[in-house]
Amino acid sequence: KYTGELLVMAGDADVLVPMPHCEEIAATNEKAELIIYEGADHNFNVMTDDKSVSEDMVETTAQWLAEHL
């Protein structure tokens, strides 16, 4: 069982990985941080005209990595 720092990011409109799976993954680790993007699909809306979700996801991931590595 992994017990280190963990970032779990998910879109609530993801049809490939259901939200309960993401919540379950995060719940198994007390150091997990779960971030849910409202309206985001599996690709964090990168294939849409509005890139704000995917850009935020990349920035958030970079910040998290800088803080936890």
Side-chain angles (χ1 to χ4, degrees):
K1 179 179 174 184
Y2 179 72
T3 58
E5 303 285 335
L6 179 65
L7 176 61
V8 180
M9 303 175 91
D12 68 358
D14 187 339
V15 296
L16 297 177
V17 180
M19 188 56 54
H21 289 190
C22 300
E23 294 166 340
E24 182 179 337
I25 290 168
T28 65
N29 183 325
E30 63 184 35
K31 295 179 183 175
E33 180 178 347
L34 174 61
I35 299 174
I36 299 170
Y37 286 93
E38 194 172 319
D41 61 17
H42 187 72
N43 296 315
F44 298 94
N45 299 349
V46 72
M47 302 300 284
T48 68
D49 290 335
D50 181 5
K51 304 288 190 257
S52 61
V53 171
S54 58
E55 290 170 354
D56 184 72
M57 184 271 305
V58 169
E59 180 63 28
T60 299
T61 301
Q63 288 176 357
W64 189 91
L65 289 169
E67 292 171 9
H68 294 90
L69 294 182

